[in-house]
Amino acid sequence: MTLANCPVTGELVDHLLELTHLTCEDDETFDNFLTAHGWRYSEFDDSYETAAGQVVSSGHYDGGPEPNGQTAWATFCVYDPEYDGVPDADHLAAVWGCVRGWTLHPDQGRGRLDADWQDAAALLTARFGHPSAVAGSPGPADPPTVPPRRYALWRGGDRVLFLAQDTDPICYCCFIRNVLVVAPADRDDALPGPDALPDWYASKLLREGAAA
């Protein structure tokens, strides 16, 4: 089993919150944001690398009419689940092993993926309080023996922060990843409970095509 990661930090959370407030039709404003924080355009399509190496993708949030703004996805851990018993560790190393700030762990797998998710959840809880909902649900392609994927949701003012486990779109969805999603949300909007959390994540965020 193989895993690659670049842990979530408080600085990353700050940057994602700032990014989602930008009007990114203004290329100069967005370029200034990248320069100010030491980000750069990534070798991955439609994404960026932070100074620490997290891969961030952004797109427009269309889950509600107001407020308008960016949605940002920061991938921070990717795991080779050995689909059909065939490991793809060489491919994972070739793709994620070349990203600055990332570390390969050839002898670790799903347990480390879940531990990194828990570390990120602890950081968000310390900052935003307990999540409004936490859930675990099997992925659509996962056999019954695979542990459920984890989801948690926090409200941070006029933003929601979603910590999720889904398939990694950069590698044709052959890996499972941990991702932190920050999106605009009206302060008065009701947030989903645990049972609705996976479907809410898919309908509100994944329909934009940033993940599968």
Side-chain angles (χ1 to χ4, degrees):
M1 293 186 292
T2 301
L3 175 141
N5 69 350
C6 186
V8 170
T9 64
E11 182 179 50
L12 173 67
V13 175
D14 290 340
H15 290 173
L16 292 180
L17 290 170
E18 183 179 350
L19 173 62
T20 59
H21 283 87
L22 294 180
T23 302
C24 290
E25 290 85 352
D26 182 349
D27 291 338
E28 182 178 357
T29 298
F30 193 64
D31 287 342
N32 289 340
F33 172 88
L34 297 181
T35 300
H37 296 303
W39 290 27
R40 69 180 184 184
Y41 291 100
S42 172
E43 62 186 35
F44 301 123
D45 291 340
D46 300 320
S47 63
Y48 315 91
E49 287 179 29
T50 71
Q54 282 94 348
V55 175
V56 175
S57 300
S58 64
H60 290 288
Y61 179 70
D62 59 2
E66 295 292 341
N68 295 319
Q70 290 291 113
T71 301
W73 298 261
T75 300
F76 64 93
C77 191
V78 179
Y79 162 56
D80 165 22
E82 297 188 3
Y83 280 110
D84 297 324
V86 180
D88 205 6
D90 290 344
H91 182 45
L92 188 149
V95 175
W96 290 101
C98 65
V99 182
R100 60 175 175 169
W102 281 65
T103 303
L104 287 172
H105 304 278
D107 57 343
Q108 297 185 46
R110 181 57 192 256
R112 179 60 183 268
L113 183 86
D114 291 342
D116 282 2
W117 189 95
Q118 292 282 15
D119 288 345
L123 185 151
L124 294 172
T125 298
R127 176 160 179 177
F128 299 103
H130 291 290
S132 62
V134 180
S137 173
D142 291 338
T145 56
V146 172
R149 299 187 189 179
R150 301 174 183 223
Y151 305 88
L153 181 66
W154 289 260
R155 186 190 293 278
D158 59 354
R159 294 293 184 268
V160 292
L161 297 91
F162 209 122
L163 195 62
Q165 293 180 331
D166 65 18
T167 52
D168 167 32
I170 291 175
C171 297
Y172 303 101
C173 304
C174 58
F175 303 132
I176 297 174
R177 68 172 179 171
N178 288 337
V179 60
L180 173 59
V181 184
V182 181
D186 192 286
R187 292 171 184 263
D188 296 327
D189 283 351
L191 298 180
D195 292 343
L197 205 52
D199 287 342
W200 190 90
Y201 173 67
S203 65
K204 286 286 188 181
L205 302 175
L206 299 194
R207 69 182 182 184
E208 294 186 284

